């Protein structure tokens, strides 16, 4: 799905005005996993679509009322130890499936891996945004896989904690767009410049689904494994208290040094200057 | 369905891709699906190493399994198969890994987790899907075979235990010069899953 420009997070702004509650029409697919190029450039189109359609009460009603549901729970043995795995979905509150079924499917999925007791003390929590190239293929262009492994190891060593895996590939631009950005990076642009060149923002994530999942898991205070001040701020503003930020810094690869420098210098990530 | 007029497989980008297994070229592909289907488009990645033209290359078609590939699940053998395939390609210095978006054999992540719930209550993989009203496998491997065609690869040495994959490629006009097993040491957590693959789905597994 490419519900990015307005973000699935809008879903949860129930107190917001009618206008802000709008979730943004997505040329949606039920597949949230890969995403498609066009989300960012679509931003302009989507804004245009919104200004035209926002006043349509029926349309608004169909897309404004989303709720987050736990859709599945299972045993999850991994190489890091045994977790429970939960599937969460942001779903429309009313079944709006009809002629245009795609609207009803404009939800978003996330999974939560939970180990041990996460209630008697603020648990270790990692909010990991999908990076297929890093998480699956151990890409050395970024530090995503290393961070994922670090977080799972820390949780396993502690014996408790939560890893939330949200499907926000490439900070929300989608996999194919991320590849296009890599093409530009291969020609010398940095991460931020490449996204700008393609007409995207650098980061579309709002972390509202993760915050809601934590609430549903009954977790109000966390020790957040992150280098990203935006994640801390997003959780705090969603009412989840970050009692501690635990560094998720990893040893850079030769190929990821520029990527990490850009994270530090342009995105304010809390990384050591090497 | 008419597969390819006009050839619907598009390259979206081609990039340098250094990984822990070595350096690949990574190419993104996508293909539109019929107007009434969800999703409307499907995507896949091809990781290419070395010379894949002068003889039939090692090819692995890997269907996405987020839990196995990324999160280290021991419920299935996906992650280990992926790593085995990448290691084999790297040690040969040449080959192609196609990673297709067909989570849970095409049922999607949420449905797969629903099926896991039923499996925890005693169903096997096939029974769980049936209870959910789903087929056990929706994959047709059309995008992967289209990608091989675009890459100019007409003959492959296919890394798989799955006779359906061999057949699908051959039906699509890709010659499978050899099938190379992609069998990994079974984890105790995956035993029932693997037995079902062998007994009900006809996978060619010898280590059970």
């Amino acid at each position: 799905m490419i519900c990015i420009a307005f973000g699935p997070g809008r879903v949860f702004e129930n107190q917001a005005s009618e206008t802000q509650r709008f979730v943004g029409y997505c040329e949606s697919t039920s597949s949230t996993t890969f995403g498609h190029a066009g989300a960012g450039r679509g931003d302009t189109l989507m804004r245009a679509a919104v200004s035209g359609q926002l006043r349509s009460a029926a349309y608004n009603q169909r897309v404004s009322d989303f709720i987050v549901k736990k859709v599945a729970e299972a045993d999850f043995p991994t190489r890091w130890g045994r977790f429970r795995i939960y599937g969460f979905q942001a779903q429309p509150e009313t079944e709006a499936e009809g002629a245009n079924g795609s609207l009803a499917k404009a939800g978003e999925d996330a999974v939560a891996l939970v180990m041990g007791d996460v209630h008697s003390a603020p648990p270790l929590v990692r909010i990991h945004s999908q990076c297929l190239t890093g998480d699956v293929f151990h890409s050395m262009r970024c530090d995503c896989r290393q961070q994922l492994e670090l977080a799972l190891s820390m949780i396993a060593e502690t014996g408790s904690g939560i890893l939330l895996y949200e499907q926000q590939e490439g900070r929300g631009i989608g996999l194919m767009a991320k590849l296009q950005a890599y093409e530009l990076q291969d020609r010398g642009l940095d991460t931020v410049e490449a996204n700008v060149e393609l007409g995207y923002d650098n980061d579309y994530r709002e972390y509202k689904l993760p915050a809601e999942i934590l609430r549903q898991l009954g977790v109000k205070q966390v020790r957040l494994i992150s280098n990203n001040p935006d994640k801390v701020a997003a959780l705090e503003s969603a009412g989840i208290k970050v009692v501690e930020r635990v560094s998720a810094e990893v040893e850079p690869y030769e190929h990821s040094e520029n990527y990490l420098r850009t994270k530090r210098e342009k995105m304010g990530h809390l990384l050591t200057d090497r | 369905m008419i597969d390819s007029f006009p050839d619907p497989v598009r390259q979206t980008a081609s990039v340098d891709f250094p990984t822990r297994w070595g350096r690949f070229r990574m190419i993104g592909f996508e293909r539109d699906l019929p107007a009434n289907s969800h999703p409307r488009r499907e995507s896949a990645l091809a990781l290419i190493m070395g010379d894949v033209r002068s003889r039939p290359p090692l090819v692995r078609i890997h269907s996405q399994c987020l839990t196995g590939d990324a999160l280290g699940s021991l419920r299935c053998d996906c992650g280990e198969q992926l790593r085995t395939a990448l290691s084999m390609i790297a040690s040969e210095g040449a080959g192609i890994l196609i990673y297709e978006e067909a989570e849970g054999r095409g049922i999607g992540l949420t449905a797969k987790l629903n099926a896991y719930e039923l499996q925890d209550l005693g169903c096997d993989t096939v029974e769980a899907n049936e209870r959910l009203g789903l087929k056990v496998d929706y994959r047709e491997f059309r995008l992967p075979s289209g990608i091989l065609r675009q890459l100019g690869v007409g003959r492959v040495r296919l890394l798989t235990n799955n006779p359906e994959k061999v057949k699908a490629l051959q039906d699509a006009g890709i010659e499978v010069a050899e099938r190379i097993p992609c069998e990994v040491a079974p984890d105790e957590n995956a035993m029932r899953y693997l037995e079902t693959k062998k007994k009900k789905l006809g996978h060619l597994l010898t280590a059970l």
Side-chain angles (χ1 to χ4, degrees):
Chain A
M1 73 136 211
I2 52 172
C3 193
I4 288 152
F6 290 83
R10 294 282 183 211
V11 168
F12 312 111
E13 290 184 354
N14 290 326
Q15 307 88 334
S17 72
E18 270 312 290
T19 313
Q20 285 171 324
R21 282 172 61 193
F22 182 79
V23 176
Y25 172 75
C26 297
E27 182 213 342
S28 170
T29 72
S30 59
S31 162
T32 54
T33 315
F34 272 43
H36 288 291
R41 274 170 292 192
D43 188 22
T44 320
L45 295 175
M46 284 167 78
R47 284 176 201 286
V50 169
S51 61
Q53 295 186 35
L54 194 56
R55 289 174 201 90
S56 156
Y59 181 79
N60 207 19
Q61 186 184 357
R62 289 178 66 172
V63 294
S64 61
D65 301 312
F66 277 66
I67 48 171
V68 173
K69 270 189 189 162
K70 187 183 87 179
V71 289
E73 177 187 346
D75 182 34
F76 197 60
T78 76
R79 46 182 276 221
W80 288 278
R82 201 151 208 130
F83 294 79
R84 292 297 286 174
I85 188 168
Y86 298 85
F88 284 93
Q89 233 174 12
Q91 293 173 334
E93 199 162 5
T94 48
E95 282 301 321
E97 190 123 20
N100 192 350
S102 63
L103 286 182
K105 291 183 179 172
E108 190 198 5
D109 298 332
V111 299
L113 269 51
V114 180
M115 181 182 272
D117 172 12
V118 294
H119 292 118
S120 53
L124 279 175
V125 169
R126 168 79 185 160
I127 298 172
H128 191 87
S129 304
Q130 174 170 306
C131 167
L132 191 77
T133 48
D135 300 343
V136 172
F137 298 118
H138 300 239
S139 169
M140 292 177 165
R141 294 186 72 123
C142 61
D143 60 346
C144 299
R145 175 74 200 185
Q146 290 169 293
Q147 288 192 308
L148 180 67
E149 290 192 4
L150 177 73
L152 288 167
S153 302
M154 285 170 76
I155 290 168
E157 273 168 36
T158 309
S160 65
I162 301 171
L163 182 121
L164 300 179
Y165 193 90
E166 59 158 4
Q167 296 186 316
Q168 291 282 13
E169 177 67 50
R171 302 187 186 124
I173 66 175
L175 180 62
M176 291 300 135
K178 187 175 82 172
L179 260 55
Q180 288 169 336
Y182 280 180
E183 268 188 343
L184 295 173
Q185 290 163 34
D186 286 352
R187 290 181 216 146
L189 273 61
D190 70 28
T191 330
V192 173
E193 291 162 351
N195 276 30
V196 169
E197 177 75 21
L198 291 169
Y200 299 114
D201 285 348
N202 186 48
D203 197 339
Y204 288 91
R205 296 170 299 173
E206 294 186 333
Y207 309 109
K208 291 190 178 172
L209 179 55
E212 177 59 25
I213 291 171
L214 287 172
R215 265 199 294 273
Q216 293 208 9
L217 292 171
V219 173
K220 297 194 178 78
Q221 298 192 19
V222 301
R223 293 160 58 219
L224 191 68
I225 306 172
S226 179
N227 304 324
N228 183 355
D230 287 348
K231 272 188 200 167
V232 177
L235 284 194
E236 293 272 2
S237 71
I240 308 283
K241 188 165 190 222
V242 179
V243 298
E244 185 188 351
R245 182 188 70 83
V246 180
S247 171
E249 192 162 0
V250 296
E251 193 64 32
Y253 298 120
E254 177 197 338
H255 301 287
S256 65
E257 275 174 4
N258 286 339
Y259 167 87
L260 292 172
R261 187 177 309 117
T262 306
K263 263 189 172 177
R264 189 181 70 241
E265 291 173 0
K266 293 196 173 177
M267 303 181 67
H269 283 218
L270 304 163
L271 298 168
T272 316
D273 188 359
R274 289 168 196 266
Chain B
M1 187 174 90
I2 297 168
D3 189 24
S4 55
F5 181 73
D7 188 350
V9 177
R10 294 183 298 276
Q11 282 196 22
T12 56
S14 169
V15 304
D16 181 34
F17 195 51
T19 75
R20 101 172 209 216
W21 289 277
R23 200 157 201 139
F24 293 82
R25 194 80 203 153
M26 177 167 63
I27 304 181
F29 289 91
E30 61 185 17
R31 152 183 193 264
D32 291 327
L33 296 172
N36 58 351
S37 59
H38 290 288
R40 299 279 292 276
R41 232 180 296 170
E42 62 175 337
S43 327
L45 296 174
L47 272 58
I48 302 163
M49 182 181 274
D51 172 13
V52 294
R53 295 277 175 77
S54 53
R55 70 179 187 124
L58 274 179
V59 170
R60 167 79 186 160
I61 297 170
H62 191 88
S63 304
Q64 174 173 315
C65 169
L66 181 74
T67 46
D69 301 341
L71 300 175
S73 174
L74 302 175
R75 290 188 73 121
C76 60
D77 59 347
C78 301
E80 278 308 306
Q81 284 193 306
L82 179 73
R83 290 183 277 276
T84 300
L86 288 167
S87 299
M88 288 173 78
I89 289 169
S91 64
E92 193 164 302
I96 302 171
L97 184 128
I98 294 173
Y99 193 84
E100 63 153 3
E101 179 185 15
E103 176 67 51
R105 301 190 184 119
I107 65 176
L109 181 60
T110 299
K112 187 174 82 171
L113 295 178
N114 290 142
Y116 280 0
E117 259 186 14
L118 294 172
Q119 290 164 33
D120 287 353
L121 300 173
C123 292
D124 69 26
T125 329
V126 173
E127 292 161 353
N129 279 31
E130 281 168 358
R131 286 270 294 273
L132 293 170
L134 299 166
K135 291 197 291 187
V136 73
D137 199 339
Y138 286 86
R139 295 171 300 173
E140 295 182 335
F141 306 109
R142 283 171 191 266
L143 182 55
S145 48
I147 289 171
L148 289 171
R149 269 200 299 273
Q150 277 227 354
L151 294 172
V153 173
R155 296 181 73 203
V156 302
R157 289 181 295 134
L158 192 67
L159 271 165
T160 187
N161 306 322
N162 183 356
E164 294 292 331
K165 273 188 197 163
V166 176
K167 184 172 180 305
L169 284 197
Q170 283 174 335
D171 288 349
I174 309 282
E175 187 187 335
V176 179
E178 188 185 352
R179 182 191 72 83
I180 297 170
C182 192
E183 198 164 354
V184 299
D187 184 89
E188 61 173 309
N189 292 289
M191 286 311 277
R192 182 136 192 243
Y193 166 88
L194 293 170
E195 280 162 13
T196 306
K197 258 189 173 180
K198 183 175 182 175
K199 286 180 191 151
K200 292 195 174 177
L201 302 174
H203 283 220
L204 305 163
L205 298 170
T206 58
L208 297 177

